[in-house]
Amino acid sequence: MGREQWNSRTGFILAAVGSAIGLGNIWRFPYITYENGGGAFFIPYLFAMASAGIPFMIMEFTMGHKWRRAAPGIFTKLGVDLKLRLQWLGWFQVMIAAVIGIYYVAIIGWSISYLGLSFTQNWGDNTNDFFFTQYLQLGAYSPFNLGDLLLHIAIPMFIAWSITFFAVYTGIKEGIERANKILMPLLLIIVLFLISQTVFLPGAQKGLNYLFQPDFSQLLNVKVWSAAYGQIFFTLSVGFAIMLAYSSYLPKKSDINNNAIITVSINCGFSILAGILVFSVLGHMAEEQAQPITNVVSSGVGLAFVTIPEAISHLPIPYILGPLFFTSLVVAGLSSHISIIEAVISAIIDKLNYPRKKVATLVCGLGFIISMLFATNGGILLLDLVDYFINNIALIFSCLVEVIILAWFIKASIIRHYANQLSDFNTGKWMELCLRYMSPVILLIILVRNLINTFTQGYGDYTFMDQLLLGWGLITFMLLLSIIINICSKNNRHDDKENL
């Protein structure tokens, strides 16, 4: 039986965009922009998109299309040519995806809960106290003392897992492609409608000025450029097996360059729309409360489940705009979660040659059980700690090793030549320069900076033992397990030796 394929180019692009567009576009990008020079931040951000995002996406689409395997299979084949055993990197990326998929679903569960709450605004006047004390019931707990299972969190997580399971169980065409053809247009329509209702609110213009007011002095700050590149790698779903898996289902005749540029551009464009939406709301909230907007700006979980719910109470027709906002969070989360789990499933199918339905049932069932750790009193603490180490250490390391192997050992010129043969337009030498020099240097700077900060300052208020076991220990375990799988695998040369 041949490998599954996307039914249409549109279906593939929507699926890739659905993976890239996630919760981070809504609750991380606006704050990153505000914090790093406002409108001036778009200069390094767009430069990072052109010099890192698009070349990296073309590289991963090329690898997936050429080898028609998930990440472990691709690196196995590349290792044969280089006379190296590289399968470990593919499995390390799959494990990153698995870990993210297990805790990411908790945030989707919270979003589903808040979608229900938004119809009546049952979070009350003190949204901070409601979220942490009443909803999460976070007390004197820790990552190793999680407390009890909370059914009001576990049930929404089960709903999220069920939707993801249905999408991956039914396959590429009937499940994932069909789901994204519904989810992505729905997300765009909701966000555009929300913007149309919020951008004209009193104070909204003030919020947008804070977001887009350029501070060109920040362009001389290395941290701003590092933040721009970090956001690009954070949001595009590269480096942890997803885009390799998705592109492996492309038909033989596929315009790789155009697909990559469209995917990256839509993702970045949506981030800007999310910024307009969020800061319109924050500006109105500041106007209503007669306080500076700097007092209400936040990022991450605090923005989505504390600040925005409070702001919704000050909006006109809150019983409509509130549910629509949290629907957008749920949709963005689900589209990303489906892609994350598919990266794991495709790797296992390639390795064991098991039927998709069997693997989907096993992965989603086991994932649901483990994810219940995050449906506890201390679940948010475990999530926060694991998320930091996975995204700031493991993922950046994975991207760095991948680009060095592909751009230096396989050679960027060969990758570019393959993509150009299939595409309507050719990329120039700039792509090779970006992959060989710019991306590795930037990734190395980000990784070294993150390592130094984590070694010297630690993360948050977590104990040394928490960080050692659940941070460094988890990454070490993933690396060792990946290497063990690599060693225990039969001769990697069983794969065909077709070269790029």
Side-chain angles (χ1 to χ4, degrees):
M1 182 178 176
R3 191 172 187 79
E4 292 181 89
Q5 290 187 1
W6 300 103
N7 193 49
S8 65
R9 178 180 180 180
T10 301
F12 165 70
I13 290 175
L14 287 176
V17 167
S19 175
I21 292 177
L23 297 171
N25 297 72
I26 299 174
W27 72 28
R28 190 175 190 267
F29 176 81
Y31 182 81
I32 293 292
T33 302
Y34 161 79
E35 194 179 43
N36 289 279
F41 179 73
F42 289 109
I43 296 175
Y45 182 71
L46 293 175
F47 189 82
M49 183 185 81
S51 62
I54 292 173
F56 221 100
M57 193 68 77
I58 291 174
M59 180 179 74
E60 293 214 339
F61 282 3
T62 300
M63 293 297 101
H65 180 273
K66 172 60 184 178
W67 296 116
R68 311 191 68 74
R69 296 284 189 279
I74 290 172
F75 287 107
T76 296
K77 285 176 172 286
L78 295 177
V80 170
D81 293 331
L82 298 173
K83 297 182 180 179
L84 297 170
R85 297 176 72 88
L86 299 176
Q87 187 182 153
W88 68 270
L89 178 58
W91 285 112
F92 184 66
Q93 293 188 351
V94 169
M95 289 179 196
I96 291 175
V99 173
I100 292 176
I102 287 170
Y103 71 72
Y104 191 76
V105 74
I107 307 173
I108 303 173
W110 303 343
S111 302
I112 293 173
S113 292
Y114 268 67
L115 172 58
L117 292 168
S118 64
F119 286 99
T120 55
Q121 299 176 42
N122 280 350
W123 47 66
D125 296 328
N126 191 335
T127 54
N128 186 78
D129 180 72
F130 176 84
F131 179 63
F132 290 103
T133 304
Q134 297 183 49
Y135 181 71
L136 296 180
Q137 298 181 20
L138 178 62
Y141 297 98
S142 72
F144 280 104
N145 178 25
L146 296 174
D148 300 322
L149 180 70
L150 304 176
L151 286 180
H152 65 275
I153 299 178
I155 292 173
M157 287 174 63
F158 174 77
I159 294 172
W161 271 114
S162 299
I163 296 171
T164 295
F165 171 70
F166 177 79
V168 296
Y169 181 86
T170 48
I172 297 301
K173 291 181 183 180
E174 299 301 320
I176 298 174
E177 182 171 342
R178 181 174 293 178
N180 280 285
K181 281 183 174 179
I182 297 171
L183 294 176
M184 287 302 96
L186 176 63
L187 178 61
L188 180 61
I189 291 169
I190 291 173
V191 169
L192 289 176
F193 177 77
L194 286 171
I195 290 174
S196 72
Q197 298 300 306
T198 59
V199 75
F200 299 110
L201 293 173
Q205 189 62 46
K206 183 178 179 181
L208 294 177
N209 287 340
Y210 266 89
L211 175 64
F212 292 114
Q213 187 76 39
D215 179 4
F216 291 109
S217 65
Q218 291 288 341
L219 295 180
L220 301 176
N221 190 338
V222 175
K223 289 184 178 179
V224 172
W225 289 84
S226 177
Y229 278 89
Q231 176 64 19
I232 286 293
F233 285 110
F234 176 86
T235 191
L236 288 181
S237 296
V238 294
F240 61 112
I242 293 175
M243 293 305 178
L244 294 175
Y246 268 16
S247 56
S248 73
Y249 301 117
L250 281 169
K252 289 186 177 181
K253 294 183 179 180
S254 296
D255 189 337
I256 291 176
N257 292 340
N258 260 325
N259 288 344
I261 290 173
I262 292 171
T263 300
V264 174
S265 299
I266 292 176
N267 171 73
C268 295
F270 181 84
S271 294
I272 295 172
L273 288 178
I276 294 172
L277 169 61
V278 168
F279 270 80
S280 295
V281 173
L282 295 181
H284 177 66
M285 179 179 175
E287 179 90 359
E288 287 286 302
Q289 298 181 355
Q291 59 178 320
I293 193 172
T294 51
N295 289 357
V296 300
V297 173
S298 61
S299 180
V301 170
L303 173 67
F305 300 105
V306 176
T307 306
I308 292 296
E310 183 179 352
I312 287 172
S313 302
H314 297 278
L315 294 176
I317 53 172
Y319 303 109
I320 296 176
L321 298 185
L324 285 176
F325 175 79
F326 283 104
T327 298
S328 70
L329 282 188
V330 172
V331 170
L334 285 172
S335 63
S336 293
H337 193 247
I338 289 169
S339 70
I340 293 168
I341 300 305
E342 175 58 27
V344 180
I345 289 172
S346 62
I348 296 175
I349 291 174
D350 285 354
K351 180 69 175 178
L352 302 177
N353 200 28
Y354 285 174
R356 166 174 287 275
K357 293 182 178 180
K358 181 177 181 179
V359 176
T361 303
L362 176 65
V363 169
C364 291
L366 186 60
F368 168 72
I369 293 171
I370 299 174
S371 70
M372 288 299 99
L373 292 170
F374 301 96
T376 56
N377 300 96
I380 189 175
L381 302 176
L382 179 62
L383 185 154
D384 182 51
L385 184 59
V386 172
D387 176 69
Y388 174 81
F389 279 89
I390 290 295
N391 274 297
N392 291 279
I393 308 296
L395 181 54
I396 299 299
F397 169 76
S398 171
C399 287
L400 176 61
V401 175
E402 178 183 323
V403 76
I404 289 174
I405 290 173
L406 294 177
W408 282 93
F409 290 92
I410 299 299
K411 295 189 178 178
S413 59
I414 299 176
I415 296 172
R416 181 172 72 91
H417 177 69
Y418 181 90
N420 285 346
Q421 283 184 314
L422 294 169
S423 303
D424 290 341
F425 73 92
N426 295 343
T427 56
K429 287 282 186 179
W430 65 270
M431 179 183 161
E432 296 178 37
L433 295 174
C434 292
L435 289 176
R436 285 173 65 87
Y437 301 105
M438 192 167 295
S439 289
V441 169
I442 294 295
L443 284 167
L444 183 61
I445 291 173
I446 295 173
L447 179 62
V448 170
R449 185 170 147 223
N450 289 349
L451 287 172
I452 291 174
N453 289 341
T454 307
F455 276 127
T456 57
Q457 303 172 21
Y459 175 63
D461 297 324
Y462 300 104
T463 66
F464 172 77
M465 192 58 63
D466 288 342
Q467 297 181 58
L468 180 64
L469 295 179
L470 295 173
W472 300 113
L474 176 61
I475 294 174
T476 302
F477 171 77
M478 291 162 58
L479 272 173
L480 289 176
L481 184 57
S482 301
I483 293 171
I484 290 171
I485 294 174
N486 196 151
I487 294 173
C488 293
S489 295
K490 293 182 179 180
N491 193 337
N492 289 345
R493 297 178 185 272
H494 74 277
D495 289 313
D496 68 73
K497 299 181 182 180
E498 183 182 10
N499 292 309
L500 283 172

mmCIF file of all heavy atoms in Angstrom, residues 114 121-136 285 289 301-314 326:
data_model
loop_
_atom_site.group_PDB
_atom_site.id
_atom_site.type_symbol
_atom_site.label_atom_id
_atom_site.label_comp_id
_atom_site.label_asym_id
_atom_site.label_seq_id
_atom_site.Cartn_x
_atom_site.Cartn_y
_atom_site.Cartn_z
ATOM 1 N N TYR A 114 -13.024 27.727 29.561
ATOM 2 C CA TYR A 114 -13.303 29.159 29.537
ATOM 3 C C TYR A 114 -14.273 29.534 28.423
ATOM 4 O O TYR A 114 -14.971 30.545 28.531
ATOM 5 C CB TYR A 114 -11.997 29.954 29.421
ATOM 6 C CG TYR A 114 -11.441 30.344 30.777
ATOM 7 C CD1 TYR A 114 -10.972 29.374 31.663
ATOM 8 C CD2 TYR A 114 -11.429 31.666 31.187
ATOM 9 C CE1 TYR A 114 -10.485 29.718 32.904
ATOM 10 C CE2 TYR A 114 -10.947 32.030 32.434
ATOM 11 C CZ TYR A 114 -10.483 31.051 33.295
ATOM 12 O OH TYR A 114 -10.021 31.404 34.538
ATOM 13 N N GLN A 121 -19.775 34.575 31.966
ATOM 14 C CA GLN A 121 -18.691 35.299 32.658
ATOM 15 C C GLN A 121 -18.615 34.915 34.129
ATOM 16 O O GLN A 121 -18.505 35.767 35.012
ATOM 17 C CB GLN A 121 -18.868 36.808 32.499
ATOM 18 C CG GLN A 121 -18.829 37.274 31.047
ATOM 19 C CD GLN A 121 -19.109 38.737 30.891
ATOM 20 O OE1 GLN A 121 -18.631 39.558 31.652
ATOM 21 N NE2 GLN A 121 -19.924 39.075 29.895
ATOM 22 N N ASN A 122 -18.630 33.622 34.357
ATOM 23 C CA ASN A 122 -18.617 33.119 35.725
ATOM 24 C C ASN A 122 -17.277 33.267 36.428
ATOM 25 O O ASN A 122 -17.114 32.805 37.551
ATOM 26 C CB ASN A 122 -19.028 31.643 35.741
ATOM 27 C CG ASN A 122 -20.526 31.470 35.648
ATOM 28 O OD1 ASN A 122 -21.275 32.429 35.755
ATOM 29 N ND2 ASN A 122 -20.973 30.244 35.437
ATOM 30 N N TRP A 123 -16.308 33.878 35.749
ATOM 31 C CA TRP A 123 -15.015 34.091 36.404
ATOM 32 C C TRP A 123 -15.047 35.267 37.377
ATOM 33 O O TRP A 123 -14.081 35.505 38.081
ATOM 34 C CB TRP A 123 -13.920 34.304 35.363
ATOM 35 C CG TRP A 123 -14.266 35.274 34.273
ATOM 36 C CD1 TRP A 123 -14.485 36.611 34.401
ATOM 37 C CD2 TRP A 123 -14.451 34.970 32.887
ATOM 38 N NE1 TRP A 123 -14.795 37.172 33.190
ATOM 39 C CE2 TRP A 123 -14.771 36.194 32.233
ATOM 40 C CE3 TRP A 123 -14.366 33.813 32.126
ATOM 41 C CZ2 TRP A 123 -15.006 36.275 30.855
ATOM 42 C CZ3 TRP A 123 -14.610 33.896 30.761
ATOM 43 C CH2 TRP A 123 -14.927 35.100 30.132
ATOM 44 N N GLY A 124 -16.140 36.016 37.384
ATOM 45 C CA GLY A 124 -16.315 37.077 38.378
ATOM 46 C C GLY A 124 -15.436 38.289 38.144
ATOM 47 O O GLY A 124 -14.907 38.508 37.049
ATOM 48 N N ASP A 125 -15.254 39.096 39.214
ATOM 49 C CA ASP A 125 -14.505 40.355 39.113
ATOM 50 C C ASP A 125 -12.995 40.145 39.266
ATOM 51 O O ASP A 125 -12.210 40.869 38.674
ATOM 52 C CB ASP A 125 -14.996 41.349 40.178
ATOM 53 C CG ASP A 125 -16.447 41.747 39.945
ATOM 54 O OD1 ASP A 125 -16.855 41.799 38.762
ATOM 55 O OD2 ASP A 125 -17.149 41.989 40.932
ATOM 56 N N ASN A 126 -12.608 39.178 40.062
ATOM 57 C CA ASN A 126 -11.176 38.917 40.290
ATOM 58 C C ASN A 126 -10.764 37.715 39.447
ATOM 59 O O ASN A 126 -10.788 36.569 39.901
ATOM 60 C CB ASN A 126 -10.917 38.657 41.772
ATOM 61 C CG ASN A 126 -9.426 38.643 42.100
ATOM 62 O OD1 ASN A 126 -8.582 38.375 41.230
ATOM 63 N ND2 ASN A 126 -9.091 38.926 43.344
ATOM 64 N N THR A 127 -10.396 37.981 38.202
ATOM 65 C CA THR A 127 -10.088 36.878 37.273
ATOM 66 C C THR A 127 -8.804 36.141 37.640
ATOM 67 O O THR A 127 -8.662 34.957 37.350
ATOM 68 C CB THR A 127 -9.975 37.408 35.839
ATOM 69 O OG1 THR A 127 -9.018 38.475 35.805
ATOM 70 C CG2 THR A 127 -11.322 37.918 35.339
ATOM 71 N N ASN A 128 -7.880 36.848 38.284
ATOM 72 C CA ASN A 128 -6.624 36.202 38.706
ATOM 73 C C ASN A 128 -6.900 35.175 39.795
ATOM 74 O O ASN A 128 -6.422 34.031 39.736
ATOM 75 C CB ASN A 128 -5.644 37.254 39.206
ATOM 76 C CG ASN A 128 -4.278 36.656 39.527
ATOM 77 O OD1 ASN A 128 -3.472 36.380 38.645
ATOM 78 N ND2 ASN A 128 -4.020 36.466 40.815
ATOM 79 N N ASP A 129 -7.664 35.588 40.781
ATOM 80 C CA ASP A 129 -8.009 34.667 41.872
ATOM 81 C C ASP A 129 -8.839 33.501 41.358
ATOM 82 O O ASP A 129 -8.648 32.356 41.771
ATOM 83 C CB ASP A 129 -8.776 35.424 42.960
ATOM 84 C CG ASP A 129 -9.163 34.515 44.110
ATOM 85 O OD1 ASP A 129 -8.270 34.129 44.883
ATOM 86 O OD2 ASP A 129 -10.360 34.170 44.216
ATOM 87 N N PHE A 130 -9.772 33.789 40.437
ATOM 88 C CA PHE A 130 -10.613 32.716 39.901
ATOM 89 C C PHE A 130 -9.778 31.671 39.189
ATOM 90 O O PHE A 130 -9.947 30.465 39.420
ATOM 91 C CB PHE A 130 -11.661 33.282 38.943
ATOM 92 C CG PHE A 130 -12.498 32.203 38.294
ATOM 93 C CD1 PHE A 130 -13.603 31.687 38.955
ATOM 94 C CD2 PHE A 130 -12.159 31.677 37.048
ATOM 95 C CE1 PHE A 130 -14.366 30.666 38.380
ATOM 96 C CE2 PHE A 130 -12.906 30.666 36.466
ATOM 97 C CZ PHE A 130 -14.017 30.159 37.135
ATOM 98 N N PHE A 131 -8.860 32.125 38.318
ATOM 99 C CA PHE A 131 -8.086 31.171 37.510
ATOM 100 C C PHE A 131 -7.179 30.312 38.374
ATOM 101 O O PHE A 131 -7.178 29.072 38.261
ATOM 102 C CB PHE A 131 -7.270 31.915 36.453
ATOM 103 C CG PHE A 131 -6.435 31.008 35.587
ATOM 104 C CD1 PHE A 131 -7.036 30.059 34.766
ATOM 105 C CD2 PHE A 131 -5.052 31.090 35.600
ATOM 106 C CE1 PHE A 131 -6.272 29.200 33.972
ATOM 107 C CE2 PHE A 131 -4.276 30.245 34.807
ATOM 108 C CZ PHE A 131 -4.888 29.308 33.996
ATOM 109 N N PHE A 132 -6.411 30.943 39.239
ATOM 110 C CA PHE A 132 -5.404 30.188 39.994
ATOM 111 C C PHE A 132 -5.978 29.500 41.239
ATOM 112 O O PHE A 132 -5.576 28.381 41.572
ATOM 113 C CB PHE A 132 -4.247 31.111 40.395
ATOM 114 C CG PHE A 132 -3.394 31.542 39.234
ATOM 115 C CD1 PHE A 132 -3.522 32.808 38.694
ATOM 116 C CD2 PHE A 132 -2.482 30.667 38.668
ATOM 117 C CE1 PHE A 132 -2.749 33.209 37.604
ATOM 118 C CE2 PHE A 132 -1.707 31.047 37.585
ATOM 119 C CZ PHE A 132 -1.838 32.326 37.051
ATOM 120 N N THR A 133 -6.924 30.154 41.903
ATOM 121 C CA THR A 133 -7.428 29.597 43.164
ATOM 122 C C THR A 133 -8.656 28.708 42.966
ATOM 123 O O THR A 133 -8.743 27.610 43.522
ATOM 124 C CB THR A 133 -7.773 30.734 44.150
ATOM 125 O OG1 THR A 133 -6.622 31.548 44.336
ATOM 126 C CG2 THR A 133 -8.226 30.160 45.494
ATOM 127 N N GLN A 134 -9.621 29.164 42.151
ATOM 128 C CA GLN A 134 -10.856 28.404 42.006
ATOM 129 C C GLN A 134 -10.798 27.384 40.859
ATOM 130 O O GLN A 134 -11.227 26.249 41.024
ATOM 131 C CB GLN A 134 -12.031 29.362 41.784
ATOM 132 C CG GLN A 134 -12.280 30.304 42.955
ATOM 133 C CD GLN A 134 -13.488 31.194 42.727
ATOM 134 O OE1 GLN A 134 -14.572 30.724 42.358
ATOM 135 N NE2 GLN A 134 -13.325 32.497 42.929
ATOM 136 N N TYR A 135 -10.270 27.805 39.703
ATOM 137 C CA TYR A 135 -10.257 26.888 38.562
ATOM 138 C C TYR A 135 -9.110 25.877 38.659
ATOM 139 O O TYR A 135 -9.335 24.667 38.674
ATOM 140 C CB TYR A 135 -10.166 27.668 37.252
ATOM 141 C CG TYR A 135 -10.170 26.765 36.035
ATOM 142 C CD1 TYR A 135 -11.334 26.097 35.658
ATOM 143 C CD2 TYR A 135 -9.019 26.547 35.289
ATOM 144 C CE1 TYR A 135 -11.353 25.238 34.559
ATOM 145 C CE2 TYR A 135 -9.019 25.692 34.190
ATOM 146 C CZ TYR A 135 -10.188 25.040 33.835
ATOM 147 O OH TYR A 135 -10.192 24.182 32.759
ATOM 148 N N LEU A 136 -7.878 26.356 38.747
ATOM 149 C CA LEU A 136 -6.737 25.434 38.851
ATOM 150 C C LEU A 136 -6.590 24.857 40.255
ATOM 151 O O LEU A 136 -5.937 23.826 40.434
ATOM 152 C CB LEU A 136 -5.444 26.155 38.457
ATOM 153 C CG LEU A 136 -5.336 26.637 37.006
ATOM 154 C CD1 LEU A 136 -3.996 27.318 36.782
ATOM 155 C CD2 LEU A 136 -5.502 25.478 36.028
ATOM 156 N N MET A 285 -9.511 48.203 27.684
ATOM 157 C CA MET A 285 -9.536 47.843 29.097
ATOM 158 C C MET A 285 -8.853 48.924 29.941
ATOM 159 O O MET A 285 -9.362 49.321 30.999
ATOM 160 C CB MET A 285 -8.822 46.496 29.287
ATOM 161 C CG MET A 285 -8.748 46.008 30.708
ATOM 162 S SD MET A 285 -7.915 44.398 30.771
ATOM 163 C CE MET A 285 -7.822 44.136 32.543
ATOM 164 N N GLN A 289 -10.658 51.398 32.809
ATOM 165 C CA GLN A 289 -10.199 51.366 34.194
ATOM 166 C C GLN A 289 -9.375 52.592 34.565
ATOM 167 O O GLN A 289 -8.879 52.698 35.689
ATOM 168 C CB GLN A 289 -9.384 50.090 34.443
ATOM 169 C CG GLN A 289 -10.182 48.814 34.255
ATOM 170 C CD GLN A 289 -9.369 47.558 34.528
ATOM 171 O OE1 GLN A 289 -8.174 47.629 34.777
ATOM 172 N NE2 GLN A 289 -10.022 46.407 34.491
ATOM 173 N N VAL A 301 -0.099 32.552 29.666
ATOM 174 C CA VAL A 301 -1.290 32.105 30.377
ATOM 175 C C VAL A 301 -2.014 33.272 31.037
ATOM 176 O O VAL A 301 -3.247 33.345 31.034
ATOM 177 C CB VAL A 301 -0.900 31.040 31.423
ATOM 178 C CG1 VAL A 301 -2.086 30.735 32.335
ATOM 179 C CG2 VAL A 301 -0.428 29.772 30.731
ATOM 180 N N GLY A 302 -1.245 34.208 31.598
ATOM 181 C CA GLY A 302 -1.854 35.353 32.269
ATOM 182 C C GLY A 302 -2.707 36.190 31.338
ATOM 183 O O GLY A 302 -3.770 36.681 31.723
ATOM 184 N N LEU A 303 -2.248 36.359 30.095
ATOM 185 C CA LEU A 303 -3.011 37.135 29.128
ATOM 186 C C LEU A 303 -4.319 36.436 28.784
ATOM 187 O O LEU A 303 -5.393 37.047 28.789
ATOM 188 C CB LEU A 303 -2.189 37.349 27.855
ATOM 189 C CG LEU A 303 -2.937 38.010 26.693
ATOM 190 C CD1 LEU A 303 -3.301 39.450 27.019
ATOM 191 C CD2 LEU A 303 -2.115 37.948 25.417
ATOM 192 N N ALA A 304 -4.245 35.145 28.488
ATOM 193 C CA ALA A 304 -5.409 34.417 27.983
ATOM 194 C C ALA A 304 -6.462 34.145 29.049
ATOM 195 O O ALA A 304 -7.662 34.179 28.758
ATOM 196 C CB ALA A 304 -4.962 33.100 27.356
ATOM 197 N N PHE A 305 -6.019 33.868 30.277
ATOM 198 C CA PHE A 305 -6.971 33.404 31.281
ATOM 199 C C PHE A 305 -7.154 34.349 32.469
ATOM 200 O O PHE A 305 -7.943 34.060 33.361
ATOM 201 C CB PHE A 305 -6.553 32.023 31.788
ATOM 202 C CG PHE A 305 -6.499 30.991 30.692
ATOM 203 C CD1 PHE A 305 -5.285 30.553 30.181
ATOM 204 C CD2 PHE A 305 -7.660 30.488 30.131
ATOM 205 C CE1 PHE A 305 -5.234 29.617 29.161
ATOM 206 C CE2 PHE A 305 -7.629 29.563 29.115
ATOM 207 C CZ PHE A 305 -6.408 29.119 28.617
ATOM 208 N N VAL A 306 -6.445 35.470 32.464
ATOM 209 C CA VAL A 306 -6.621 36.463 33.524
ATOM 210 C C VAL A 306 -6.974 37.824 32.920
ATOM 211 O O VAL A 306 -8.028 38.386 33.195
ATOM 212 C CB VAL A 306 -5.353 36.575 34.409
ATOM 213 C CG1 VAL A 306 -5.545 37.689 35.443
ATOM 214 C CG2 VAL A 306 -5.063 35.255 35.106
ATOM 215 N N THR A 307 -6.088 38.345 32.071
ATOM 216 C CA THR A 307 -6.281 39.693 31.537
ATOM 217 C C THR A 307 -7.446 39.773 30.560
ATOM 218 O O THR A 307 -8.311 40.651 30.675
ATOM 219 C CB THR A 307 -4.989 40.177 30.846
ATOM 220 O OG1 THR A 307 -3.901 40.060 31.758
ATOM 221 C CG2 THR A 307 -5.137 41.619 30.401
ATOM 222 N N ILE A 308 -7.484 38.883 29.571
ATOM 223 C CA ILE A 308 -8.552 38.929 28.569
ATOM 224 C C ILE A 308 -9.929 38.684 29.183
ATOM 225 O O ILE A 308 -10.891 39.403 28.858
ATOM 226 C CB ILE A 308 -8.277 37.929 27.429
ATOM 227 C CG1 ILE A 308 -7.050 38.376 26.616
ATOM 228 C CG2 ILE A 308 -9.483 37.802 26.523
ATOM 229 C CD1 ILE A 308 -7.227 39.691 25.888
ATOM 230 N N PRO A 309 -10.098 37.683 30.076
ATOM 231 C CA PRO A 309 -11.420 37.541 30.711
ATOM 232 C C PRO A 309 -11.869 38.800 31.437
ATOM 233 O O PRO A 309 -13.048 39.175 31.380
ATOM 234 C CB PRO A 309 -11.210 36.380 31.692
ATOM 235 C CG PRO A 309 -10.152 35.560 31.046
ATOM 236 C CD PRO A 309 -9.221 36.551 30.416
ATOM 237 N N GLU A 310 -10.917 39.471 32.096
ATOM 238 C CA GLU A 310 -11.270 40.726 32.762
ATOM 239 C C GLU A 310 -11.679 41.777 31.739
ATOM 240 O O GLU A 310 -12.645 42.522 31.937
ATOM 241 C CB GLU A 310 -10.086 41.235 33.590
ATOM 242 C CG GLU A 310 -10.390 42.504 34.363
ATOM 243 C CD GLU A 310 -9.213 42.976 35.184
ATOM 244 O OE1 GLU A 310 -8.210 42.251 35.285
ATOM 245 O OE2 GLU A 310 -9.291 44.096 35.736
ATOM 246 N N ALA A 311 -10.931 41.802 30.616
ATOM 247 C CA ALA A 311 -11.243 42.785 29.571
ATOM 248 C C ALA A 311 -12.598 42.505 28.939
ATOM 249 O O ALA A 311 -13.331 43.442 28.589
ATOM 250 C CB ALA A 311 -10.155 42.771 28.508
ATOM 251 N N ILE A 312 -12.927 41.237 28.790
ATOM 252 C CA ILE A 312 -14.203 40.869 28.167
ATOM 253 C C ILE A 312 -15.382 41.464 28.936
ATOM 254 O O ILE A 312 -16.392 41.871 28.343
ATOM 255 C CB ILE A 312 -14.327 39.331 28.074
ATOM 256 C CG1 ILE A 312 -13.386 38.806 26.974
ATOM 257 C CG2 ILE A 312 -15.762 38.900 27.787
ATOM 258 C CD1 ILE A 312 -13.275 37.298 26.932
ATOM 259 N N SER A 313 -15.228 41.547 30.247
ATOM 260 C CA SER A 313 -16.296 42.111 31.071
ATOM 261 C C SER A 313 -16.562 43.569 30.739
ATOM 262 O O SER A 313 -17.651 44.095 31.005
ATOM 263 C CB SER A 313 -15.935 41.980 32.553
ATOM 264 O OG SER A 313 -15.717 40.614 32.895
ATOM 265 N N HIS A 314 -15.560 44.247 30.144
ATOM 266 C CA HIS A 314 -15.711 45.670 29.806
ATOM 267 C C HIS A 314 -16.110 45.877 28.349
ATOM 268 O O HIS A 314 -16.308 47.013 27.916
ATOM 269 C CB HIS A 314 -14.392 46.402 30.068
ATOM 270 C CG HIS A 314 -13.966 46.384 31.502
ATOM 271 N ND1 HIS A 314 -14.464 47.261 32.441
ATOM 272 C CD2 HIS A 314 -13.093 45.574 32.162
ATOM 273 C CE1 HIS A 314 -13.914 47.009 33.620
ATOM 274 N NE2 HIS A 314 -13.077 45.997 33.479
ATOM 275 N N PHE A 326 -12.559 32.799 22.908
ATOM 276 C CA PHE A 326 -12.089 31.506 23.402
ATOM 277 C C PHE A 326 -12.294 30.394 22.372
ATOM 278 O O PHE A 326 -11.556 29.405 22.384
ATOM 279 C CB PHE A 326 -12.761 31.181 24.740
ATOM 280 C CG PHE A 326 -12.156 31.952 25.880
ATOM 281 C CD1 PHE A 326 -12.814 33.037 26.428
ATOM 282 C CD2 PHE A 326 -10.900 31.624 26.356
ATOM 283 C CE1 PHE A 326 -12.243 33.773 27.454
ATOM 284 C CE2 PHE A 326 -10.315 32.346 27.385
ATOM 285 C CZ PHE A 326 -10.976 33.428 27.934
#
